[in-house]
Amino acid sequence: MVSMSNNIDSHLESHHALSSAKYIKNIIYGGMDGIITTFSIIAACFGANLHIKYIIAMGVANLFADAFSMGFGDYLSSYFELRYILSEKNKELYELEHNRIYELDEMKTLYQNQGISVEDSEKLVEILSQDNYKDIFINRMVDMELGLQVPDKNHKNEIKKEGLVTFVSFFAFGLVPNLIYIISYWSNYRDYNNIFLIDCFITLFTIVTLGFYQSKITKQPKLLGTVILTINGVISTLIAFLIGFGLEKLIS
């Protein structure tokens, strides 16, 4: 038993994504938004020719506010989605208990629509409709009829972790564009053009690193994942800079 468990773990580790990959959506969602949102504000402020202290103030304020908003928003969206799925599951459970024959026939039809023969669908439903498999039956019904995946019992704790990962990812990656300006301000370096160019390079490197990281832990093509995120970041920040620069010229 121990040997089989070790073999399974070894197989998963070598052929499938790493365990941390289950948070990849939150890491990419929070990290990319943190980088792009923060740097976009900096790029717009630079394009508008604002003083460095205003750039720092706006960048840092956005970092804290958006990191909290993203993390808490991620948790809330998952929480309300969970409540919706569980309410649909309870409806299916009620229907099974009060209209059992109809629900069993409906399940057979759903299996048959997936290409399973009439005879096999009847066998499957006969097995799954037993009392000790009721929860599995209801979960399959919700999935097949409504296209909803019923989460496990630990999902409430999991969505809290996901919200926290989004918050940390946003804050950590979003902090990078701000650091160059903060360090420059503290060291009394005032060549704004050079500061912005350095910030562009560091931010681009951070995006590339995030793309490479997500490709590595999900075991996907590293070049493709890196290029896609980089192009997205470059376009988004370029738009922000051009809008800030254009508005500054228009107002002036």
Side-chain angles (χ1 to χ4, degrees):
M1 181 66 71
V2 174
S3 177
M4 178 60 71
S5 177
N6 290 337
N7 288 336
I8 292 175
D9 292 340
S10 176
H11 169 75
L12 291 174
E13 196 68 23
S14 59
H15 292 84
H16 296 277
L18 303 181
S19 59
S20 55
K22 66 180 179 179
Y23 298 115
I24 191 63
K25 178 183 75 71
N26 310 93
I27 294 171
I28 298 299
Y29 178 55
M32 277 302 294
D33 205 56
I35 296 170
I36 293 175
T37 302
T38 305
F39 186 76
S40 293
I41 290 176
I42 290 174
C45 291
F46 175 79
N49 201 29
L50 294 184
H51 191 276
I52 187 172
K53 64 181 180 180
Y54 297 120
I55 296 178
I56 293 174
M58 293 183 68
V60 172
N62 167 79
L63 178 63
F64 279 93
D66 270 8
F68 174 79
S69 176
M70 289 284 291
F72 192 60
D74 189 6
Y75 166 74
L76 281 182
S77 61
S78 297
Y79 173 75
F80 285 116
E81 180 185 42
L82 174 63
R83 289 187 58 180
Y84 161 63
I85 294 174
L86 293 180
S87 70
E88 292 299 320
K89 179 181 179 178
N90 289 333
K91 291 176 185 177
E92 292 294 341
L93 180 60
Y94 178 86
E95 291 173 359
L96 178 65
E97 292 174 346
H98 292 81
N99 199 359
R100 183 178 178 82
I101 301 300
Y102 176 83
E103 287 298 303
L104 296 184
D105 289 339
E106 186 179 25
M107 191 65 159
K108 294 174 187 177
T109 301
L110 290 171
Y111 274 124
Q112 291 165 23
N113 290 340
Q114 290 188 344
I116 298 176
S117 67
V118 174
E119 182 181 355
D120 288 342
S121 66
E122 289 177 349
K123 290 179 180 177
L124 285 170
V125 171
E126 181 181 355
I127 294 171
L128 293 177
S129 60
Q130 298 176 27
D131 287 342
N132 51 327
Y133 296 139
K134 182 186 293 186
D135 201 50
I136 297 176
F137 179 88
I138 295 298
N139 290 351
R140 291 294 295 145
M141 175 64 79
V142 173
D143 180 20
M144 296 173 67
E145 185 177 12
L146 304 173
L148 299 174
Q149 295 291 328
V150 178
D152 57 35
K153 295 179 180 179
N154 295 323
H155 194 65
K156 286 185 178 181
N157 292 328
E158 193 63 29
I159 62 177
K160 292 177 182 178
K161 293 179 183 178
E162 291 176 357
L164 180 61
V165 171
T166 300
F167 169 82
V168 172
S169 182
F170 185 102
F171 189 88
F173 284 99
L175 180 63
V176 174
N178 283 306
L179 277 178
I180 305 303
Y181 276 84
I182 293 172
I183 293 172
S184 299
Y185 183 76
W186 282 347
S187 60
N188 291 318
Y189 185 70
R190 294 294 185 268
D191 191 329
Y192 289 179
N193 290 332
N194 282 344
I195 295 173
F196 183 69
L197 289 175
I198 295 172
D199 207 30
C200 288
F201 175 79
I202 297 297
T203 299
L204 181 62
F205 179 76
T206 306
I207 294 174
V208 170
T209 301
L210 180 60
F212 181 83
Y213 173 73
Q214 69 85 19
S215 300
K216 182 177 180 180
I217 66 174
T218 56
K219 297 189 184 297
Q220 299 298 312
K222 294 180 177 61
L223 181 61
L224 179 62
T226 302
V227 169
I228 290 175
L229 288 190
T230 302
I231 292 175
N232 177 44
V234 169
I235 293 175
S236 301
T237 52
L238 182 61
I239 291 173
F241 170 76
L242 292 176
I243 291 175
F245 180 80
L247 288 174
E248 194 272 340
K249 294 299 181 183
L250 181 64
I251 294 173
S252 298

